[in-house]
Amino acid sequence: ATFGALQLRLQSHVSQPSDRRMTAPDRPARPKVVVTRELTDGVMHRMRELFDATLNREDRALSRSELEAAVADTDVLVPTITDRIDADLLAKASPRLKLIANFGNGVDNIDIGAAARKGITVTNTPNVLNEDTADMTMALILAVPRRLTEGAAVLTGDGEWQGWSPTWMLGHRIWGKRLGIIGMGRIGQAVARR
């Protein structure tokens, strides 16, 4: 549904393509989208279905010159937090570039002001990591007092395990403890629900 909505939204933003990109005589071509990093298989498959997609199957950060080439010839850029989308890069963008759909929770990697001055809409993926971050918080809450990382290092390290003893890697019990959460934003609330 997300990509379908994006496709409909793009139809109003994308200029008429040349004849070489036409998919049918009475229908404009699909918007050209550049995805800068390898995303999940489902997302990449859907991108190919809905758009004229250029995908980075090597999953390496694009060089500055590759980013410049991408913004010069696309309707939509899908960067990640590793891509620096600054005013200098956006100055080289094609007038066709109307959307930067950042694959990330924030937009710290994008010069929002420069994008706005060029009429480029910038979006991100807020809230997608709230539950995952809360899960990782719970994993750390369990791992630290129970010394899980230390124990795993002993078992997988080069030394020979000497066996169990009553006080070895004893750690601390979390049963009956109270958890103080500083900041009850979306992630704090997700931790509290657990």
Side-chain angles (χ1 to χ4, degrees):
T2 302
F3 290 116
L6 178 60
Q7 185 180 28
L8 290 174
R9 186 172 174 188
L10 288 174
Q11 294 303 325
S12 65
H13 288 298
V14 177
S15 60
Q16 289 297 319
S18 65
D19 288 339
R20 71 175 177 78
R21 294 182 56 212
M22 297 296 280
T23 56
D26 59 344
R27 191 172 82 207
R30 299 178 299 170
K32 184 168 183 182
V33 176
V34 174
V35 181
T36 65
R37 295 298 294 264
E38 178 81 2
L39 304 179
T40 62
D41 287 339
V43 170
M44 298 300 256
H45 177 75
R46 194 73 169 133
M47 286 287 195
R48 284 191 306 271
E49 284 181 348
L50 295 174
F51 306 110
D52 175 9
T54 301
L55 309 175
N56 179 359
R57 293 309 226 167
E58 296 175 21
D59 194 27
R60 62 171 176 76
L62 297 182
S63 69
R64 184 65 178 199
S65 62
E66 288 171 317
L67 281 172
E68 289 173 0
V71 298
D73 186 35
T74 194
D75 302 308
V76 178
L77 181 68
V78 182
T80 67
I81 60 171
T82 59
D83 299 308
R84 183 178 161 92
I85 313 299
D86 57 21
D88 291 337
L89 181 70
L90 292 173
K92 296 176 172 122
S94 163
R96 288 183 12 237
L97 180 60
K98 294 296 178 192
L99 177 64
I100 298 173
N102 197 42
F103 188 83
N105 203 26
V107 291
D108 295 345
N109 57 314
I110 301 170
D111 186 330
I112 301 295
R117 286 188 294 278
K118 289 203 61 136
I120 300 169
T121 300
V122 176
T123 64
N124 64 344
T125 52
N127 302 321
V128 297
L129 298 176
N130 296 346
E131 299 302 325
D132 301 301
T133 303
D135 286 349
M136 293 303 293
T137 301
M138 294 305 297
L140 290 171
I141 288 171
L142 292 171
V144 171
R146 286 302 183 175
R147 302 174 66 184
L148 295 179
T149 304
E150 294 169 78
V154 169
L155 294 175
T156 59
D158 293 336
E160 186 176 319
W161 183 46
Q162 301 300 315
W164 177 84
S165 75
T167 59
W168 181 74
M169 299 295 294
L170 192 56
H172 297 280
R173 189 179 280 167
I174 64 167
W175 173 255
K177 302 290 192 283
R178 288 194 180 149
L179 175 64
I181 300 173
I182 299 173
M184 285 299 285
R186 294 181 309 263
I187 295 168
Q189 290 175 38
V191 170
R193 284 192 300 272
R194 281 155 176 76

